[in-house]
Amino acid sequence: MRISDKEMLSMTDLPFDKVSPYRVKVVEYTIPTTKEKRMEILKKYGYSGRLLPAEYVHINMVTDSGTAAMSDRQWSAMMLGDESYFEARSYENFEEAVNLFTDMPYILPCHQGRSGEYLVYQALVQQGDKVPSNTHFTTTGAWCYERGAEPVNLLCKDYLDSEDKGWFKGNMDIEAFEAYFIENAEKIPLVELVLPNNLNGGQPVSMANLKAVREIINKYDKRGTKLYLDVARISENAWMIKQHESGYEDKSCLEIVRECMSYADGCHMSSKKAALVNMGGFVALRDKRTWQKMQPKLIRTDGYITYGGLTGRDLEAVAVGLIEGVNDYYLADRQRQVDYFAEACKKRGVHIMEPASCFAVYIDAGKCLPHLSPMEGPATCLSAQAYLEGGFASTAMDSLQRAREDSSDPLNEGKKMTAPYELIRCAIPRRVYQEPHYDWAAECLARAMSHGTKLPAFRKIKEDRPPLEISEIGLRTFFDNFEPVSDLPLGDPVKMVSTRI
Ligand code: F0G
């Protein structure tokens, strides 16, 4: 019998903030490489973490999405997956876990976050509407444009102050939101809060901010505006609230998640993050009629309403992982790893965005490579060189790759703005790496940085592709390719360990 949820959540005095609360049963290998081989790979496949063949990436922090190591509890639950088309038993297990997590009565499973978002936008958003957010994730921004509406990002100003060490720099700018809401209330069907704010340094959102957003909607509402939460990593956001917002220190993260949900009308989750699965998602909401409106839309694209594009075993894995991933001592272990990696970077002089978030470390490549201007891609360059140094891959989010479009005029290249920081996101897969991996990843970044002005500028490779639609503009980061204006420095060879067959 596998350990039950109740047993998993039992009180403990074991120091799970110092030692991981699990042990390893299966390990995963990558193909060993040399610096020469890695240079060949970069030249052949392109210089971005997203393009590198994964078997040649020894430490992969390109994303924390779908990359978790599942537990014995999840794998054993998967064996019990009920693959019946309609009303499979696995759906009941899934529904029970999602109800417990969200405290919302109406649920639809989806194959991942973006398919759930599609239902929300189709059901609620129309041409000419506006959807304010602390910062839309790329896909909710895309759905918004697809409906002929405008995604509006109102991120708090603290984020723009690099000296600010506040804990909740992912917040909505409450003053700006209030003013915007008063002026546009008739055009706002939906407000989206992303907890934590992935596209801005992974910074968390406070409970106070969430409550303030709710109060403003209640006060000035003119058309039944809904508040939805993008909860891909809400368990980790809850951990930050527990650590850093007064009044929450004695609450469990599950209680904090449920309190967050209590201020919302609905939520959508990419379960590939905090629910510790490789595939899955859901929408949960309070209003039955909206739920019914979403049902045929789900059937049209993803299958029946009790599986939403997932297999029975996927549903089982989410049901277990969702609760495992909100367990306080699991989250203490996760935060320890993020903090360890952040310290490993700082110790080696690699500049990071502070405070480090709850799921990733964002490297301030602009500070690391001050000789490169934003449009010369300092993050693109440092990230590529770090792979060359030691097989460590990450995601560059600099102005070269992510200059921000004007949301009211997204096709106008002339209105694009540079990113506020030239960041590399090192997103930490869950339960995958150990301290020596983090030390080596930090070492790769430090070695890369030590080449200083020898590191070249990058430029976009011009490619003849059909033009993107407005709703696809933000997705160009998946198509654009970049190259250095001159070769990356090969530097000293790293000591070789030989194997002979
Ligand atoms: N919302 C947030 C905050 C996300 O970070 C993502 C995905 C999604 C929604 C969409 O979920 O991929 O399951 O469809 N983020 C991944 C990342 C891709 O690397 O940050 P999805």
Side-chain angles (χ1 to χ4, degrees):
M1 279 292 279
R2 68 172 196 257
I3 297 170
S4 69
D5 278 351
K6 195 159 167 255
E7 285 165 322
M8 279 292 284
L9 297 173
S10 43
M11 293 293 281
T12 180
D13 59 5
L14 295 177
F16 289 144
D17 55 339
K18 297 192 177 63
V19 56
S20 293
Y22 45 80
R23 55 196 183 203
V24 176
K25 191 175 324 223
V26 175
V27 297
E28 183 178 7
Y29 277 94
T30 59
I31 302 174
T33 52
T34 61
K35 224 175 192 186
E36 286 69 26
K37 176 73 182 174
R38 292 190 292 276
M39 182 66 107
E40 193 188 306
I41 290 170
L42 285 168
K43 284 187 173 159
K44 180 162 174 202
Y45 295 101
Y47 291 82
S48 132
R50 142 182 80 79
L51 298 170
L52 303 171
E55 69 271 29
Y56 291 119
V57 176
H58 188 55
I59 301 181
N60 199 333
M61 295 196 196
V62 172
T63 179
D64 62 327
S65 181
T67 53
M70 290 208 294
S71 68
D72 56 341
R73 300 174 73 246
Q74 288 174 291
W75 282 109
S76 64
M78 285 175 80
M79 286 304 290
L80 300 174
D82 175 355
E83 306 302 342
S84 308
Y85 193 99
F86 296 108
E87 309 294 335
R89 182 151 178 212
S90 297
Y91 177 73
E92 289 171 27
N93 296 335
F94 174 86
E95 190 183 35
E96 196 182 314
V98 178
N99 281 147
L100 174 66
F101 191 76
T102 61
D103 204 19
M104 293 190 190
Y106 300 112
I107 287 158
L108 290 169
C110 305
H111 75 263
Q112 60 183 97
R114 65 199 70 187
S115 48
E117 296 156 14
Y118 187 43
L119 301 179
V120 174
Y121 280 75
Q122 280 200 319
L124 299 176
V125 178
Q126 304 298 332
Q127 174 90 25
D129 285 343
K130 296 180 186 295
V131 183
S133 172
N134 51 341
T135 307
H136 281 271
F137 180 68
T138 322
T139 47
T140 61
W143 290 132
C144 212
Y145 286 128
E146 202 265 344
R147 299 298 290 166
E150 183 188 342
V152 179
N153 295 327
L154 300 168
L155 174 64
C156 72
K157 295 185 184 64
D158 306 351
Y159 180 73
L160 302 174
D161 175 2
S162 63
E163 299 305 312
D164 188 304
K165 298 281 191 290
W167 287 104
F168 297 103
K169 296 200 288 186
N171 281 347
M172 183 88 103
D173 179 337
I174 290 297
E175 263 174 41
F177 174 61
E178 185 166 28
Y180 190 86
F181 198 90
I182 292 171
E183 209 179 312
N184 296 282
E186 272 132 11
K187 293 195 185 135
I188 302 178
L190 174 69
V191 176
E192 251 314 333
L193 259 191
V194 187
L195 306 88
N197 195 327
N198 180 16
L199 294 192
N200 288 303
Q203 298 294 302
V205 174
S206 69
M207 191 72 84
N209 194 254
L210 172 48
K211 275 195 225 174
V213 168
R214 175 83 256 174
E215 278 160 20
I216 288 168
I217 297 174
N218 290 351
K219 193 162 164 196
Y220 303 108
D221 180 29
K222 291 208 174 127
R223 59 173 281 184
T225 299
K226 305 283 185 236
L227 174 60
Y228 270 61
L229 308 182
D230 180 340
V231 298
R233 303 176 180 86
I234 193 172
S235 307
E236 293 159 359
N237 198 101
W239 174 259
M240 296 302 263
I241 291 175
K242 182 178 167 81
Q243 299 307 303
H244 304 295
E245 194 165 351
S246 81
Y248 290 94
E249 37 299 270
D250 296 329
K251 298 215 156 136
S252 72
C253 288
L254 179 56
E255 286 169 326
I256 297 172
V257 166
R258 285 165 63 98
E259 182 178 335
C260 291
M261 298 288 185
S262 74
Y263 303 117
D265 299 292
C267 67
H268 46 84
M269 182 185 212
S270 166
S271 306
K272 298 170 71 173
K273 284 85 170 170
L276 298 166
V277 290
N278 307 124
M279 191 49 76
F282 61 81
V283 176
L285 63 162
R286 298 189 192 289
D287 176 43
K288 188 171 180 187
R289 283 190 74 77
T290 312
W291 177 63
Q292 288 169 327
K293 210 168 157 189
M294 290 175 182
Q295 288 175 348
K297 302 180 196 315
L298 180 69
I299 295 171
R300 189 169 62 196
T301 51
D302 269 349
Y304 192 57
I305 57 170
T306 54
Y307 77 84
L310 296 173
T311 62
R313 54 186 174 274
D314 291 331
L315 295 167
E316 297 282 356
V318 174
V320 176
L322 193 60
I323 306 305
E324 239 173 65
V326 73
N327 181 336
D328 288 22
Y329 60 72
Y330 155 76
L331 288 164
D333 176 61
R334 176 133 177 89
Q335 190 66 51
R336 179 184 52 74
Q337 294 181 41
V338 176
D339 292 345
Y340 185 92
F341 182 41
E343 273 311 308
C345 291
K346 286 202 291 187
K347 224 164 58 190
R348 291 169 173 83
V350 177
H351 302 281
I352 67 162
M353 158 162 287
E354 290 199 74
S357 84
C358 42
F359 68 95
V361 172
Y362 289 68
I363 308 296
D364 191 336
K367 271 197 194 154
C368 295
L369 303 183
H371 69 289
L372 296 179
S373 71
M375 291 313 288
E376 288 177 324
T380 307
C381 177
L382 191 65
S383 171
Q385 184 72 29
Y387 174 72
L388 181 60
E389 294 296 333
F392 167 59
S394 50
T395 294
M397 295 179 155
D398 52 23
S399 300
L400 177 65
Q401 297 205 29
R402 304 265 179 132
R404 302 193 169 189
E405 57 267 356
D406 180 331
S407 66
S408 62
D409 191 4
L411 294 179
N412 190 337
E413 288 283 316
K415 281 198 178 169
K416 273 189 174 169
M417 292 156 285
T418 55
Y421 299 99
E422 306 305 315
L423 297 178
I424 298 176
R425 187 186 72 169
C426 305
I428 300 188
R430 297 169 179 81
R431 301 191 293 214
V432 171
Y433 294 119
Q434 299 157 352
E435 275 74 1
H437 292 110
Y438 298 122
D439 279 319
W440 180 244
E443 189 62 32
C444 290
L445 289 161
R447 288 184 190 198
M449 195 178 137
S450 71
H451 293 288
T453 53
K454 283 198 224 110
L455 291 168
F458 270 65
R459 64 184 166 217
K460 192 166 154 174
I461 300 174
K462 290 210 168 45
E463 216 190 343
D464 188 23
R465 293 182 64 91
L468 298 172
E469 293 176 13
I470 289 197
S471 67
E472 296 162 350
I473 287 289
L475 310 179
R476 69 171 181 266
T477 147
F478 291 98
F479 304 109
D480 286 351
N481 293 324
F482 302 88
E483 62 184 0
V485 298
S486 58
D487 272 353
L488 296 177
L490 208 45
D492 299 330
V494 178
K495 197 166 154 252
M496 201 84 82
V497 182
S498 74
T499 315
R500 294 208 171 80
I501 304 180

